[in-house]
Structures are given as structure tokens and as C-alpha cells.
Amino acid sequence: MNVLLLGPQGSGKGTQAKRIAGEYGLAYVGTGDIMRAAVARDGDLGGHLRPYLDSGTLVPDELTVALIRDRLDDEDSTPGFVLDGFPRTMAQADALDALLRELDRTLDIVFELQVSKEVSLERLLKRAREEGRSDDTPDVIETRLATYHRETAPLAEHYRAQGILVGIHGERTINEVFAEIQQALEQVSVRR
Ligand code: AMP
């Protein structure tokens, strides 16, 4: 089973993606985590990525797609993956479709975690106080949310057209959101 999550920063997408991966034995593939790990290793790749991450702007598609291709190749032997944070642009969505065809895999379901701009902003500011991530400053948060609504939110239509989009009301507790996700995943496994 291959699962994708869409949703603005602060929608709880990362939390739910990791929980799905844990519960169903799938590989968690989060581009934010992959990129932050590269920055922490501080090699050439990290040096190249750091300015984008620090300013909350998108890493160029070509580089992002290359990173994801490597990772999905690595996960070849797992029963499936949960993608979090990719794709974020239409070009990335097209590249993912092509890559999945190449790997002879398909996306089974795409969840869109729906939360208002106010709630995602509030949650990100709270995380900023608690975790002190370098891209959780108010200015950078604003850039990241604006980028999401401009570049990434329209991808929901791409997956709606493929008949695999499921909208989830995200302004509830982690357990309530996860219960709804599980119901949808169980329907997918019945259909397969
Ligand atoms: P995230 O933790 O998913 O919010 O990602 C943190 C940062 O990593 C983003 O603000 C971007 O700079 C970069 N990033 C993560 N995923 C992508 C992607 N699919 N395309 C471009 N940049 C990305």
C-alpha cells in the first residue's frame, strides 16, 4: 500500500504519516526529514539545501525529485510507503507519476488534511516555541504557508481526478484524525 499526505504545515500531516507507517509497517518517506538530515550532515548536499530550508522556500524540483527517486528505490523491498512533504509542485507530481510507473507501483490513496490558515499558523507558532526549528520563525512560517497555498494545495485536484483523494477534517485530536484515516485505509485494503 502506497499512501500520500497533503496538507499545510501545522495540519498534523507529519504526525499522522509517521503513525500510519508504524501501524501498517510501511516506510515513512518525509522530504523535510530527509533534507534536514542532509543539512545536519553538513556535506556538499547539505550546504546546497540549507539556504532553501532556512528561508522556507522550495528546493528546486530537479534536486528534490532526485532525492526522492533514490529513496523510493531504496524502499523497493518494503510493502509500501507513506509520502510526506512530496510532491509540493505540479512538476513534482508529474515526476512522481512517472517514477511510480517506472517502479511499477501505484498510489492507493491520498489524504488531504484540511485545517484553516489560522489553525495551522497557531500550531506552527506553538511548535516554534517548543522545538525551536530554524524555519519556525514567524516570517519563514508565513513564507512556507503562502507557498503551500500557492503551489501545493492545487495538487488535491490532480489526485481528485485520479479518484484517490480523501479529505480529512484536521482540526480535531490526533486520535480522532487517525481513526478516520484508518477507516479509509481499511476500505482501500478491502478493495485491493
Ligand atoms: P517540511 O518539514 O516538510 O515542512 O520541509 C521543510 C523544508 O524542506 C521546506 O520548507 C523546503 O525548504 C524543503 N522541502 C521539503 N520538501 C520539499 C519538496 N517536496 N520540494 C521542495 N522543497 C522541499
Side-chain angles (χ1 to χ4, degrees):
M1 186 158 65
N2 299 315
V3 181
L4 168 61
L5 278 94
L6 290 175
Q9 295 81 353
S11 62
K13 182 170 56 75
T15 303
Q16 298 294 339
K18 286 174 185 156
R19 193 151 168 193
I20 296 167
E23 190 84 15
Y24 294 89
L26 307 173
Y28 170 75
V29 181
T31 39
D33 282 5
I34 293 172
M35 290 178 181
R36 274 187 293 279
V39 169
R41 283 195 302 275
D42 210 20
D44 285 351
L45 175 63
H48 193 69
L49 295 175
R50 186 191 299 274
Y52 297 103
L53 270 77
D54 282 350
S55 61
T57 52
L58 292 182
V59 171
D61 287 334
E62 205 177 320
L63 179 53
T64 303
V65 170
L67 287 171
I68 219 65
R69 167 187 293 272
D70 275 357
R71 187 55 184 268
L72 292 186
D73 252 349
D74 283 352
E75 302 299 348
D76 224 15
S77 56
T78 65
F81 51 76
V82 184
L83 269 179
D84 169 21
F86 179 90
R88 265 172 147 105
T89 64
M90 200 38 131
Q92 291 181 12
D94 289 338
L96 177 62
D97 288 345
L99 180 59
L100 290 173
R101 273 196 298 277
E102 212 177 283
L103 298 173
D104 202 20
R105 292 191 164 213
T106 49
L107 276 180
D108 295 289
I109 192 162
V110 176
F111 291 109
E112 182 185 31
L113 289 189
Q114 295 158 341
V115 299
S116 67
K117 288 184 186 171
E118 292 71 29
V119 167
S120 46
L121 186 60
E122 206 178 285
R123 288 182 180 173
L124 284 172
L125 292 171
K126 179 164 176 274
R127 186 173 76 185
R129 288 192 297 272
E130 290 170 358
E131 295 177 17
R133 235 172 81 168
S134 68
D135 59 354
D136 272 348
T137 61
D139 276 4
V140 177
I141 285 173
E142 206 168 300
T143 303
R144 290 160 61 215
L145 285 177
T147 304
Y148 179 82
H149 289 286
R150 191 180 61 244
E151 305 274 349
T152 312
L155 300 186
E157 284 315 311
H158 181 74
Y159 296 111
R160 198 190 310 279
Q162 294 183 9
I164 53 173
L165 185 77
V166 175
I168 303 277
H169 173 45
E171 295 181 11
R172 294 175 299 167
T173 65
I174 293 176
N175 285 341
E176 283 167 342
V177 171
F178 189 64
E180 195 176 329
I181 286 178
Q182 273 190 305
Q183 275 182 4
L185 288 174
E186 256 124 61
Q187 283 172 13
V188 169
S189 50
V190 169
R191 276 207 308 269
R192 295 172 88 224

